[in-house]
Amino acid sequence: MKIIYFFLNGWIVFLGFVFAKMPHILFYFFVCFFAFLMRLIDKRRFYDAMANLDFVYGDHYSKEEKIAIVRQCYKNFVFVLLESMRLPYINQKKYFDRFEFENENNLLDFLREKKSVVLVSAHYGYWESLGSAMPLRVQKVVQNYEEYSFFSLGRLTDFDFINQLIIKRREIFGVKLIDKKGAFKKLIKIYSSKDMIVGTGILVDQNISKAEGIEVQFFGKRATHTTIASLLSRRFDIFIVPILIDFNKDYSKYIVRVLEPFKAMHTQDMQKDILECTQRQADVIENMIKKNPSSWFWFHKRWKSFYPEIYQKKITR
């Protein structure tokens, strides 16, 4: 396993360095090229994305428009992968200059007041930069940055050498990765600490089992949704801050949209409080997807828990 790790790590380091040093126009060419290859090889993702678009939009978009969205989805996916590979070798100032921040005080005001928060996002646009752009921005504009601790939830694999590669890339900017398995107990302990001011990034748009989540409405359909952010908000009386990060057509500029914060109610009806807060998270993400459908990661089987049949039909290109 160590040999495999060193081999893979060596290739990732080499390719990441090469991608980091080449002109952006050439990097964009490789994004398009690998996305094209992926479309040829990975028919499963194409099918799942089309199934989702048919299920959600019906005849609202033509077949050609849906295919265009899926093709963009492949490009977005490849961009995120290649950008993650080259991130350690990019000049931080040049990297940070690509970002524009919209309504950033929706988050920074809490940090200036030394209040913990929960950051929620989705597999939308350049989602991986939640763990790079925001820490850099906070470090630049908030005093006593060293007092803050930032975490992100991620799904690790059964292979330690793969996990080492994931963690190494995710923690470049000081954001500690927490495995989704058993994450809630770890987060309870972290947020309970009186010596920490905490911000945790959670991607909340994937399908999970009915036992793990709660039912919400997403695009007018039944879907499961994680309750972690809602439970933390209610238990510790802290705000949830939605952040969604989009990009322009050639991935040379990114816009960080820090949306209106909210928190879970704390009434005698805990189930209702959690449901309302979780539904609000789903609504925020849905509204952003509607504005720019091609930026969402349509490959996920988002509605599998309630409508598994939509992923079983065959589709022709």
Side-chain angles (χ1 to χ4, degrees):
M1 288 297 182
K2 288 185 178 180
I3 294 175
I4 297 175
Y5 168 76
F6 285 118
F7 178 77
L8 286 177
N9 187 61
W11 267 106
I12 291 173
V13 168
F14 172 73
L15 292 174
F17 181 82
V18 171
F19 286 135
K21 301 307 176 184
M22 66 177 54
H24 185 78
I25 190 171
L26 185 56
F27 176 72
Y28 179 64
F29 167 80
F30 277 105
V31 169
C32 297
F33 175 70
F34 285 123
F36 172 74
L37 290 182
M38 195 175 191
R39 291 204 312 269
L40 295 180
I41 298 170
D42 189 3
K43 296 180 180 180
R44 185 73 220 177
R45 279 195 169 92
F46 180 91
Y47 157 71
D48 290 337
M50 287 295 287
N52 284 329
L53 287 163
D54 288 340
F55 185 61
V56 168
Y57 285 113
D59 296 331
H60 180 77
Y61 289 118
S62 68
K63 183 177 180 180
E64 290 72 24
E65 289 173 317
K66 292 173 185 175
I67 290 175
I69 291 173
V70 178
R71 286 177 175 171
Q72 185 63 46
C73 200
Y74 277 105
K75 287 173 61 177
N76 297 345
F77 186 31
V78 171
F79 162 74
V80 171
L81 291 176
L82 298 188
E83 184 76 354
S84 297
M85 289 172 61
R86 72 175 187 160
L87 187 57
Y89 314 105
I90 297 176
N91 179 278
Q92 283 195 12
K93 184 180 184 305
K94 290 182 179 179
Y95 174 72
F96 188 69
D97 286 344
R98 297 178 190 166
F99 289 89
E100 296 178 8
F101 293 84
E102 185 178 280
N103 298 322
E104 62 180 9
N105 285 330
N106 283 337
L107 169 63
L108 298 181
D109 285 348
F110 291 114
L111 301 185
R112 291 185 181 109
E113 295 173 11
K114 298 185 178 183
K115 293 181 178 179
S116 294
V117 292
V118 181
L119 313 179
V120 295
S121 191
H123 292 86
Y124 178 94
Y126 185 13
W127 68 83
E128 283 287 341
S129 65
L130 183 65
S132 56
M134 291 314 304
L136 285 172
R137 185 60 179 163
V138 172
Q139 185 176 4
K140 187 173 182 179
V141 301
V142 176
Q143 293 181 347
N144 301 321
Y145 169 78
E146 63 278 0
E147 296 181 12
Y148 299 91
S149 298
F150 291 95
F151 300 86
S152 68
L153 265 61
R155 182 167 294 163
L156 296 179
T157 71
D158 295 328
F159 304 98
D160 184 61
F161 68 95
I162 295 293
N163 293 338
Q164 290 181 51
L165 295 175
I166 294 173
I167 293 170
K168 185 177 179 180
R169 295 291 178 295
R170 287 283 184 93
E171 296 189 349
I172 291 173
F173 295 94
V175 178
K176 298 298 182 182
L177 181 67
I178 298 176
D179 189 0
K180 282 187 176 180
K181 293 181 180 179
F184 186 63
K185 289 183 179 179
K186 295 177 183 177
L187 288 171
I188 290 293
K189 184 177 180 179
I190 289 169
Y191 278 92
S192 296
S193 173
K194 295 181 180 179
D195 299 324
M196 268 191 199
I197 306 166
V198 184
T200 304
I202 307 173
L203 301 179
V204 296
D205 61 328
Q206 286 181 283
N207 179 71
I208 57 177
S209 71
K210 296 178 184 178
E212 293 177 306
I214 195 171
E215 179 183 336
V216 297
Q217 288 289 305
F218 193 58
F219 281 89
K221 315 291 185 181
R222 300 170 70 192
T224 54
H225 199 107
T226 179
T227 59
I228 289 179
S230 302
L231 290 167
L232 290 172
S233 175
R234 188 178 186 275
R235 178 160 182 165
F236 296 103
D237 191 31
I238 56 178
F239 275 85
I240 294 170
V241 184
I243 301 177
L244 290 158
I245 306 169
D246 212 343
F247 33 51
N248 63 352
K249 193 171 183 179
D250 70 349
Y251 308 109
S252 60
K253 292 289 183 181
Y254 321 120
I255 180 165
V256 181
R257 293 187 172 92
V258 186
L259 306 178
E260 183 181 355
F262 57 89
K263 63 181 178 180
M265 299 292 290
H266 201 295
T267 70
Q268 293 182 344
D269 191 340
M270 177 179 177
Q271 187 174 4
K272 181 182 177 184
D273 295 343
I274 298 302
L275 175 58
E276 289 180 350
C277 186
T278 307
Q279 181 63 61
R280 185 164 181 178
Q281 294 166 53
D283 292 343
V284 167
I285 295 169
E286 178 183 328
N287 290 335
M288 287 299 296
I289 295 170
K290 286 178 176 178
K291 293 178 181 178
N292 190 5
S294 62
S295 283
W296 193 49
F297 197 71
W298 289 95
F299 296 143
H300 286 156
K301 296 180 180 180
R302 183 65 182 93
W303 291 271
K304 183 179 178 181
S305 289
F306 291 101
Y307 310 95
E309 67 279 2
I310 73 173
Y311 305 105
Q312 296 170 2
K313 299 175 184 178
K314 290 185 178 181
I315 189 167
T316 57
R317 300 196 186 199

